[in-house]
């Protein structure tokens, strides 16, 4: 019994260590991808926006047409996508939701207004 208990304890410690290493590697991958989102982007319909990544916080969405429009959002990982609730800081309300993901040298984005349950098809 003592040998079995020791084996279980050693196995559990090894598993804990492997899980910890996996999570560290995953966090580095996510941080690297988040930094790759950073930049100035233009959609296929001409919308210009910026994604800021400072390394210590989640990527942030910014779109400005001063003084009438300041849109902001904070991205969170959602599967293969990064998703953000987009707020209009001037009108003080949520205008919709944006999701983005890296594709090749570009960024695929998809927007949906509040209350819509489906993301755009062609993103």
């Amino acid at each position: 019994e003592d040998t079995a208990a020791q084996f279980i304890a050693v196995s559990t410690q090894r598993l804990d260590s492997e899980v910890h290493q996996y999570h560290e590697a995953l966090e580095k991958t996510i941080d690297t991808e988040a930094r790759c989102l950073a930049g100035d982007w233009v959609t296929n319909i001409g919308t210009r926006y910026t994604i800021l990544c400072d390394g210590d916080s989640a990527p942030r969405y910014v779109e400005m047409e001063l003084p009438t429009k300041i849109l902001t959002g904070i991205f969170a990982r959602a599967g293969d996508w990064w998703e953000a609730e987009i707020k209009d800081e001037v009108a003080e309300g949520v205008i919709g939701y944006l999701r983005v993901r890296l594709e090749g040298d570009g960024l695929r984005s998809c927007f949906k207004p509040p209350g819509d349950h489906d993301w755009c098809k062609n993103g």
Side-chain angles (χ1 to χ4, degrees), residues 5-82:
Q6 289 174 348
F7 174 75
I8 290 170
V10 169
S11 295
T12 302
Q13 288 172 349
R14 186 174 302 133
L15 180 61
D16 288 345
S17 175
E18 290 173 6
V19 168
H20 180 71
Q21 289 172 357
Y22 169 78
H23 284 287
E24 282 183 340
L26 183 61
E27 285 176 14
K28 286 179 185 173
T29 300
I30 289 172
D31 287 347
T32 300
E33 185 173 339
R35 283 191 296 279
C36 290
L37 297 175
D40 296 316
W41 301 96
V42 181
T43 69
N44 59 350
I45 60 169
T47 303
R48 297 178 177 276
Y49 62 91
T50 300
I51 298 179
L52 305 170
C53 299
D54 61 18
D56 292 334
S57 60
R60 294 180 316 281
Y61 176 91
V62 179
E63 180 185 340
M64 287 193 243
E65 291 178 22
L66 296 173
T68 58
K69 181 169 76 171
I70 302 172
L71 305 180
T72 63
I74 298 173
F75 287 98
R77 193 73 149 124
D80 292 341
W81 295 87
W82 290 84

